[in-house]
Amino acid sequence: MRNNLVMRATSGGVLALLLAGLAVPSLADEPAESRAKPVPPLTAGENDIPDPDIRAWWNLTYNRKPEPPVPGKDYGMDAATGRFVHPKATPLVRSAPNFPGQLDHWDQKSYKKNVEVLGFTNFIPSTGHTWQSIADFGGKRYMYTYYRSGVGVFDITDPRKPKLVYRRGQRIGAYGKPDIVNPYGKGEGFGAANISWHKGLGKYVMVQAFEVPRYGIMDEKYREPEGVETLKHWKGLKGFRVYVMDGPLPDQWKLVAERTSDYRHPDAPLGAQQGSGVLDIPAWNGGKYMFLSAAPDDRFMLTEFADYIYTPGYQVWDMSDPANPAFVSQFAAPGQILGDPDHEAAYLMNPRAGNRTSWFGSRMPPFMTKAPDEGGKIAFGAMAGLGLYSLDISNPADIKIVGHVNQVPKFAGTEFDNVDLSQYERTGYIFTNGYPMNDECYEPYKDILVVDARDPAKLRIAAKFPRPTPPADAAFTDFCQRRGSFGPKRSGYLTQPGRFRDGVVAYAFYNGGVQIFDVKDPTKPAIAGYFVPRFPTEAETGGQSQGNLTYGIFAEYDRNILWAFTNHGFYALSSPLIGTPSFKAPAKPWPPRD
């Protein structure tokens, strides 16, 4: 079976009894310094907020935005232990303060344990975030690395020597200057993509997701009506496009369908479509049902995040005919829909309500080991400050809540973002985490949580992953001293080739590089290996997203290759923890064709 979903989550509290049964028919992946210019704090009365939806949200509760903590006083290095003490709560900021004890330079050393570097490629469409997909054509393996306005296609048949065979749009060059080749038109780009084999067509089919921006439009939605208007009437597609692939390169693809996630207004033109569009990578394996993360309209607006207006739920689409996708259902967790009394009551029960900081809702589709048409019954939904849900997906037209768990609030940053199911069928335990969005550890630490899901109706946080610590030869005793962002991101995507490894899982950890964990006993995870790359020089990035070091990982489990994506390029890695690497095309093509 295809390695369906490797994902995670982290969140905080709504009463579980209140949550039962309420089903209703791109956050700053870029770091803080790329956000729009800050504006003064709100001083006008709440009734002066121009947008009626933002005003209605604001008036539900009082302003509980956290005051900025003082470095070295409210948080910082503990001299006795050499460990960093995180602040209890922080606002989302564009530029975080430094604290006493940090390095005064960007560390140029790299560190490794049980990992070998096979090669490095100097190619980045964005210093803040990129996505990846892999597909095999004609006995060769191709990797797509991209982010909205830029894409590179590489022949990685020999992963030690990736060959660029196609590029379009933006690439970041020396000193952070963009190098543009055949630029995309306004509102166009390369969306977060899933490539699957469709038996009926006998071809690969790519679904690309398109959404409103998650950063850079504004800083405070209650102060900037122009930014709210821009997102509500975004001139690009809010939805997804479907391509049939006759070869590895974009000029060999045929667009066969386009849909808006605004299912209530399916014929709305660009600029009139409501909601967020489709976030991150669609969950689809080429079968009947596709799951998406999406806020379908402007009712889904109960979220505290200051520079984003939507709270995405989940959608299901029938993809039996890729040229004619059909809407099946929309799911909302309790506490998402503005103007609905039950949802507003659930929202107000959340201790994050009013903090003007927390992300509410999904950023990725629900995570499952089997799709419903393969017999799958349970999925897990990571919905940030709303918590982690177990969902009955056996009838995709009527998704039901089975169980729920949350944690104490930990903001800024995002909470339950991702769920990793690699050990679920073996053990009944899943892993979930949020990730940092402020640099300089200017927020609570984001743990990777171990959740006991053996009974999906009784989810329970059973353990936490250990916090990575620097090697003995480092010039710092805590990764927070290394500067930049520190904490877990994701352990990969459902689109990565092959089957995960029993007992092993790897995460991107920003300035902590790639961290590999021994999870043979999922309740006692331990660090087994790591690769921590150097920081880029300012000559490489021009200071753009300087602290956003290792933001992504992508695993080829069928060839035992780990790819680490950083703000200055990407690394090919191997580790004896996952097996001997292969430097030739795999025996069976990916995505699987059976």
Side-chain angles (χ1 to χ4, degrees):
M1 184 192 70
R2 179 172 173 180
N3 173 22
N4 261 28
L5 294 116
V6 184
M7 329 213 171
R8 20 266 173 278
T10 347
S11 123
V14 186
L15 290 179
L17 291 177
L18 199 73
L19 297 172
L22 271 178
V24 181
S26 242
L27 168 76
D29 277 315
E30 293 287 342
E33 64 262 34
S34 69
R35 297 176 183 279
K37 183 179 179 181
V39 296
L42 184 70
T43 56
E46 58 266 23
N47 291 327
D48 294 330
I49 296 174
D51 184 87
D53 294 322
I54 302 301
R55 183 168 64 248
W57 158 77
W58 177 277
N59 286 338
L60 283 174
T61 185
Y62 57 93
N63 186 5
R64 301 169 60 204
K65 184 176 180 178
E67 291 294 325
V70 178
K73 177 185 175 184
D74 299 320
Y75 70 97
M77 295 301 298
D78 182 338
T81 64
R83 300 291 298 274
F84 181 81
V85 178
H86 282 261
K88 294 181 174 62
T90 57
L92 191 69
V93 297
R94 189 178 185 217
S95 181
N98 295 103
F99 60 85
Q102 279 190 292
L103 299 182
D104 61 0
H105 61 281
W106 295 105
D107 184 21
Q108 293 299 298
K109 292 184 66 176
S110 61
Y111 313 87
K112 63 181 183 178
K113 175 184 176 181
N114 280 334
V115 173
E116 293 299 323
V117 177
L118 302 175
F120 172 75
T121 303
N122 177 18
F123 183 92
I124 40 173
S126 165
T127 56
H129 179 70
T130 56
W131 285 298
Q132 292 77 43
S133 297
I134 279 178
D136 296 331
F137 285 91
K140 293 184 178 181
R141 171 152 288 185
Y142 296 89
M143 180 170 68
Y144 307 85
T145 181
Y146 56 94
Y147 188 72
R148 307 196 191 287
S149 60
V151 58
V153 183
F154 289 85
D155 179 343
I156 58 167
T157 308
D158 184 346
R160 298 166 297 183
K161 300 176 182 178
K163 300 175 183 177
L164 181 66
V165 296
Y166 177 93
R167 61 165 290 221
R168 187 181 181 193
Q170 176 173 287
R171 181 184 71 88
I172 303 299
Y175 293 95
K177 295 179 179 178
D179 175 22
I180 304 295
V181 173
N182 300 324
Y184 289 102
K186 186 176 178 62
E188 297 298 318
F190 200 102
N194 178 315
I195 302 173
S196 295
W197 180 260
H198 193 272
K199 291 182 180 179
L201 296 176
K203 294 181 179 181
Y204 290 135
V205 175
M206 174 185 282
V207 181
Q208 289 188 25
F210 294 88
E211 60 174 308
V212 303
R214 299 187 220 170
Y215 67 94
I217 300 298
M218 56 189 166
D219 279 330
E220 294 179 327
K221 58 191 177 187
Y222 38 85
R223 284 276 302 186
E224 301 170 72
E226 297 86 357
V228 174
E229 185 74 3
T230 295
L231 295 186
K232 281 190 169 184
H233 300 283
W234 183 244
K235 301 303 183 184
L237 175 65
K238 294 181 175 183
F240 62 92
R241 294 189 177 110
V242 183
Y243 298 85
V244 173
M245 304 172 70
D246 289 321
L249 305 183
D251 58 8
Q252 298 171 294
W253 306 344
K254 179 183 178 182
L255 176 65
V256 296
E258 178 178 295
R259 293 291 186 272
T260 175
S261 52
D262 181 3
Y263 70 92
R264 298 169 73 201
H265 311 98
D267 299 319
L270 302 185
Q273 296 167 2
Q274 292 190 27
S276 63
V278 177
L279 285 71
D280 277 22
I281 295 176
W284 185 49
N285 64 2
K288 183 174 182 178
Y289 295 111
M290 177 173 69
F291 291 77
L292 307 173
S293 168
D297 53 55
D298 293 347
R299 302 172 302 158
F300 283 63
M301 293 182 67
L302 288 178
T303 183
E304 291 297 318
F305 209 73
D307 67 356
Y308 189 76
I309 64 176
Y310 296 112
T311 170
Y314 298 128
Q315 286 189 356
V316 184
W317 288 74
D318 186 332
M319 293 289 288
S320 300
D321 179 359
N324 188 29
F327 176 78
V328 175
S329 67
Q330 174 73 47
F331 170 84
Q336 290 197 281
I337 298 179
L338 184 67
D340 182 294
D342 290 333
H343 277 271
E344 290 183 351
Y347 161 79
L348 290 171
M349 290 295 292
N350 194 312
R352 297 160 183 78
N355 72 20
R356 314 306 188 213
T357 303
S358 293
W359 182 282
F360 282 15
S362 67
R363 293 160 52 80
M364 301 178 73
F367 303 91
M368 64 200 77
T369 57
K370 292 181 180 178
D373 42 310
E374 297 177 326
K377 295 181 179 180
I378 296 294
F380 297 93
M383 302 198 78
L386 297 176
L388 174 69
Y389 293 85
S390 54
L391 304 170
D392 181 348
I393 56 161
S394 57
N395 177 7
D398 185 20
I399 298 174
K400 296 183 182 298
I401 294 173
V402 176
H404 174 263
V405 71
N406 218 324
Q407 64 167 353
V408 296
K410 290 193 172 185
F411 53 90
T414 185
E415 298 173 276
F416 291 96
D417 170 73
N418 186 57
V419 182
D420 184 291
L421 298 183
S422 61
Q423 314 301 309
Y424 178 54
E425 292 185 331
R426 178 177 70 91
T427 69
Y429 288 84
I430 65 177
F431 311 137
T432 179
N433 65 283
Y435 66 80
M437 291 185 179
N438 287 341
D439 279 355
E440 320 309 344
C441 291
Y442 187 67
E443 63 182 71
Y445 179 66
K446 302 301 184 288
D447 286 293
I448 303 173
L449 303 174
V450 180
V451 174
D452 183 347
R454 290 175 293 180
D455 182 349
K458 298 178 181 179
L459 301 179
R460 179 181 66 89
I461 296 173
K464 298 177 181 179
F465 277 41
R467 175 191 170 107
T469 55
D473 61 337
F476 45 93
T477 58
D478 192 288
F479 273 111
C480 287
Q481 292 174 285
R482 200 180 186 221
R483 303 180 66 183
S485 188
F486 171 61
K489 182 69 183 285
R490 294 170 180 168
S491 57
Y493 293 92
L494 73 153
T495 54
Q496 54 193 25
R499 186 184 184 277
F500 49 78
R501 291 290 171 271
D502 288 344
V504 178
V505 65
Y507 281 83
F509 239 88
Y510 287 104
N511 74 6
V514 172
Q515 297 283 328
I516 305 175
F517 296 88
D518 180 336
V519 290
K520 294 183 184 68
D521 181 345
T523 66
K524 298 177 181 178
I527 296 171
Y530 51 78
F531 169 64
V532 182
R534 65 175 179 85
F535 273 101
T537 65
E538 292 208 11
E540 290 175 285
T541 67
Q544 285 191 26
S545 308
Q546 193 78 10
N548 200 50
L549 184 55
T550 307
Y551 56 71
I553 188 172
F554 196 84
E556 289 186 65
Y557 283 117
D558 60 352
R559 297 200 302 171
N560 300 326
I561 304 293
L562 294 176
W563 296 91
F565 293 86
T566 77
N567 57 358
H568 57 283
F570 59 89
Y571 293 83
L573 309 172
S574 67
S575 172
L577 298 169
I578 66 168
T580 303
S582 171
F583 304 135
K584 60 182 180 180
K588 293 184 178 181
W590 183 265
R593 302 180 183 184
D594 48 24

